[in-house]
Amino acid sequence: PVPGPNDMVHGYVTCTSKKGCFVRLSRSLDARVILKELSDDFVPDPGAMFPPGRLVVGKVKTVRDSKGGKKLVDIDMRESVLLSGEDRISIDDIEVNEKYTGVVTRVETYGAFVKIDNSDVSGLAHVTECSDSFVKDVQNLYHPGDLVKVQVVSLDREKGNRLAFSLKASNFVDDSDSSDDDDGNEDAMDVDSDSGEVGEDHGDDDDDNSIDSDASDFVAKMAAKMAAGGDVDEDSEDESSSEDDDSDSSGSDSEDDEEEPVAKTSAMDTNVGFDWDTAISSKPQREESSDDDSTDTSSSDEDDDKAAKSSHKSRKKAAARKREEEEISRREAALADGTADESPENAADFERLLASSPNDSEIWIKYMAWHLSLADTDSARNVANRAFDRIEFRQEGEKLNVWTALLTLELKCGTDKSLNDAIDRASQQNNPKQVYLRVCEQLDKEVDAAASVGGSTDLDTATKRADEMFAKACKKFKSKKSVWIAHLQYLLKGSRHEEAHS
């Protein structure tokens, strides 16, 4: 579906120039972004900041029809536009003597430039309008990024909507926000004064409700005080405890008098819960209860083990989910800043790069190498066959590079039959001499690798394959000196001088 105005869209950059860039939104829909709408900041090198294949986000400005019947979409990728959820202020909405908030963008000796919030409108506050007092250096008063409030002094529409602002504090004395701040401060002062009086009243109450620790019913008063929610000083408790320890006669006598009725009433109760007849029969009951306790303990241990296992599994699941979320966020960040193009990690990354650069043989070869790292030779062959169909026929060098990679794959992982079939196919679509020279070069490298390892069997096998391929190339291209020169270099590098002379 075709997006509408103010819709948020995602796409991949296809090409970038000094005037802007084009973004592919879908297989049949492209969008255009002009230079000034690429970013809020100055873009010195658009090609480096927005390379082909980078994932970008934009807001649709207009959608119009072209001559060929296609839809042309203009989008804006500036962060200020993407984050603004309300209608932006235009130059037509600006009126003289109106007040706005903005940000200082640039400071010069003659004044400060201010950009109004939620708009693209900027104006100049002259040095005479920057303060009520004399300003010797504006750069000491304002800096880029400062949040300010401005008043529109003049608007000259005949000279390209030139705006003049005023930053004088006297213009904002009667504003509602400053009066609200003053009222808020006064309310705060009133609250503070009231709270101070209340604190004094609480202090008086504490003095009046203080507890006399010398009284005989100190414990009763203490309980009543705690139930009422009052506070008891620690010092008074310490003093009461020390005084209670010192008073031996009065305190002990009073406590004995209070405890005597309780002792008498308890002595009258002869039922102590013990029976001689049932004492012997209670032993088996205790043994049975101990058995029940052991079974209860074992069952509780099993429950604890199950709970521990379940909690361990849940922690493992949570950790795996957290790692997955971190990986997704890292991939999204890499796609957003363009670093995913430098080191693709999966098939989706390679497909995205190939969608923007189908004629780049380096990407195709890296895609084949990625499949080989997963030990998937069939997929690597399929990628090579796709490259032969996707690369344009004029790009002969790019196709030859992919053919060389496929021949190397057959040399390393294929059989002699598959290698010969690949050589025949490559010779039909490329220069046969170049194909054989590439194969001979790869076999020469295999001989060098086997010699460095030192295995005699591997060295003999590699040398035999290389000799056969060089002999076949020289027989097939007798009149081509480059083939003979390559064969001579191969023999001389292996210290086979007699064969080289013959």
Side-chain angles (χ1 to χ4, degrees):
V2 179
N6 297 326
D7 288 347
M8 303 293 290
V9 293
H10 296 74
Y12 296 100
V13 178
T14 56
C15 63
T16 307
S17 64
K18 294 182 179 180
K19 296 182 180 180
C21 70
F22 286 93
V23 178
R24 178 163 295 173
L25 303 181
S26 64
R27 299 179 64 180
S28 60
L29 187 62
D30 292 337
R32 183 187 65 172
V33 188
I34 60 177
L35 180 62
K36 70 176 184 179
E37 294 176 351
L38 290 175
S39 176
D40 291 318
D41 301 327
F42 174 68
V43 182
D45 189 1
M49 187 172 291
F50 298 94
R54 177 176 177 180
L55 177 65
V56 294
V57 183
K59 178 180 282 189
V60 177
K61 293 174 53 183
T62 58
V63 180
R64 61 184 188 276
D65 296 327
S66 63
K67 296 180 180 179
K70 290 186 177 182
K71 296 289 186 179
L72 295 179
V73 182
D74 290 330
I75 63 175
D76 196 332
M77 297 195 310
R78 288 176 292 183
E79 186 177 359
S80 58
V81 176
L82 299 178
L83 297 179
S84 62
E86 53 189 10
D87 295 335
R88 295 174 63 81
I89 301 174
S90 63
I91 190 64
D92 298 331
D93 301 330
I94 303 298
E95 296 182 1
V96 180
N97 294 328
E98 287 292 329
K99 299 173 183 178
Y100 304 93
T101 58
V103 179
V104 177
T105 57
R106 187 158 54 97
V107 180
E108 302 291 344
T109 55
Y110 51 84
F113 289 91
V114 180
K115 180 182 177 182
I116 298 178
D117 290 340
N118 195 27
S119 72
D120 296 330
V121 181
S122 299
L124 172 66
H126 194 262
V127 62
T128 57
E129 295 291 338
C130 287
S131 178
D132 292 319
S133 58
F134 174 72
V135 178
K136 184 177 181 181
D137 189 359
V138 185
Q139 296 179 351
N140 294 333
L141 190 61
Y142 296 104
H143 301 86
D146 291 347
L147 300 177
V148 294
K149 196 170 184 180
V150 298
Q151 183 179 22
V152 180
V153 178
S154 64
L155 174 59
D156 193 349
R157 300 189 183 275
E158 296 179 357
K159 295 183 179 180
N161 296 324
R162 183 178 297 176
L163 277 172
F165 294 144
S166 176
L167 296 171
K168 292 182 179 179
S170 58
N171 296 328
F172 311 102
V173 173
D174 299 332
D175 287 354
S176 60
D177 54 355
S178 61
S179 62
D180 294 340
D181 295 339
D182 296 339
D183 295 340
N185 294 333
E186 291 176 359
D187 295 339
M189 292 175 63
D190 295 339
V191 172
D192 293 339
S193 62
D194 295 339
S195 64
E197 295 175 358
V198 172
E200 292 175 0
D201 295 341
H202 282 300
D204 297 339
D205 293 340
D206 292 339
D207 294 335
D208 295 338
N209 297 329
S210 60
I211 299 173
D212 187 8
S213 61
D214 295 333
S216 60
D217 56 348
F218 169 74
V219 177
K221 287 187 177 182
M222 176 68 73
K225 183 64 178 178
M226 293 178 66
D231 296 329
V232 181
D233 294 336
E234 296 179 356
D235 296 338
S236 62
E237 294 177 357
D238 296 339
E239 292 175 359
S240 62
S241 60
S242 60
E243 290 175 358
D244 290 339
D245 294 337
D246 294 336
S247 59
D248 294 329
S249 60
S250 61
S252 59
D253 296 339
S254 61
E255 290 175 358
D256 293 339
D257 295 335
E258 292 175 357
E259 290 177 355
E260 283 178 358
V262 178
K264 290 179 181 179
T265 56
S266 61
M268 296 297 294
D269 189 7
T270 58
N271 185 11
V272 295
F274 182 79
D275 191 0
W276 290 100
D277 297 334
T278 58
I280 300 174
S281 61
S282 64
K283 287 185 178 181
Q285 293 179 357
R286 284 198 298 270
E287 292 177 355
E288 292 177 359
S289 64
S290 62
D291 294 337
D292 296 337
D293 294 339
S294 62
T295 55
D296 294 339
T297 305
S298 61
S299 61
S300 63
D301 293 339
E302 292 178 357
D303 294 338
D304 293 340
D305 294 339
K306 291 180 180 179
K309 290 181 180 178
S310 62
S311 63
H312 181 64
K313 290 181 180 179
S314 62
R315 284 197 300 269
K316 289 179 67 176
K317 290 181 179 179
R321 194 181 306 112
K322 184 177 180 182
R323 287 194 298 270
E324 185 179 357
E325 292 176 355
E326 290 177 353
E327 180 66 19
I328 291 173
S329 62
R330 185 185 67 82
R331 293 296 301 163
E332 290 177 350
L335 288 173
D337 58 18
T339 55
D341 300 341
E342 299 175 0
S343 57
E345 298 179 357
N346 49 39
D349 292 343
F350 284 105
E351 294 294 343
R352 179 171 49 80
L353 292 177
L354 292 174
S356 60
S357 303
N359 295 325
D360 193 349
S361 61
E362 183 179 358
I363 300 177
W364 289 105
I365 294 172
K366 286 183 179 179
Y367 199 2
M368 293 173 62
W370 180 75
H371 281 296
L372 288 176
S373 65
L374 301 177
D376 192 356
T377 55
D378 293 335
S379 298
R381 292 189 182 97
N382 293 334
V383 170
N385 293 327
R386 285 179 54 197
F388 301 146
D389 296 334
R390 291 285 300 277
I391 298 176
E392 296 179 357
F393 67 94
R394 297 185 182 87
Q395 305 291 336
E396 296 179 357
E398 301 293 335
K399 278 194 173 184
L400 183 58
N401 291 336
V402 181
W403 275 111
T404 304
L406 180 59
L407 293 172
T408 306
L409 169 63
E410 299 298 343
L411 283 171
K412 300 288 186 182
C413 306
T415 60
D416 293 338
K417 184 179 181 302
S418 62
L419 175 61
N420 293 328
D421 292 341
I423 292 175
D424 294 339
R425 289 176 55 202
S427 300
Q428 293 174 3
Q429 300 185 20
N430 301 276
N431 186 354
K433 183 185 71 173
Q434 295 295 332
V435 172
Y436 274 88
L437 287 176
R438 295 287 180 95
V439 176
C440 292
E441 182 182 356
Q442 295 298 325
L443 290 172
D444 189 9
K445 291 181 179 179
E446 280 193 0
V447 173
D448 294 340
S452 62
V453 173
S456 59
T457 305
D458 295 338
L459 179 59
D460 294 340
T461 304
T463 304
K464 182 179 178 181
R465 294 180 66 184
D467 291 343
E468 292 177 354
M469 188 57 64
F470 273 108
K472 187 176 180 180
C474 292
K475 183 178 180 180
K476 192 174 183 64
F477 306 100
K478 295 179 180 179
S479 59
K480 304 298 183 181
K481 62 179 182 181
S482 57
V483 179
W484 292 101
I485 292 173
H487 193 190
L488 287 172
Q489 290 177 349
Y490 163 70
L491 294 174
L492 292 174
K493 187 166 60 174
S495 300
R496 299 160 65 178
H497 302 285
E498 293 180 359
E499 297 181 19
H501 284 294
S502 61

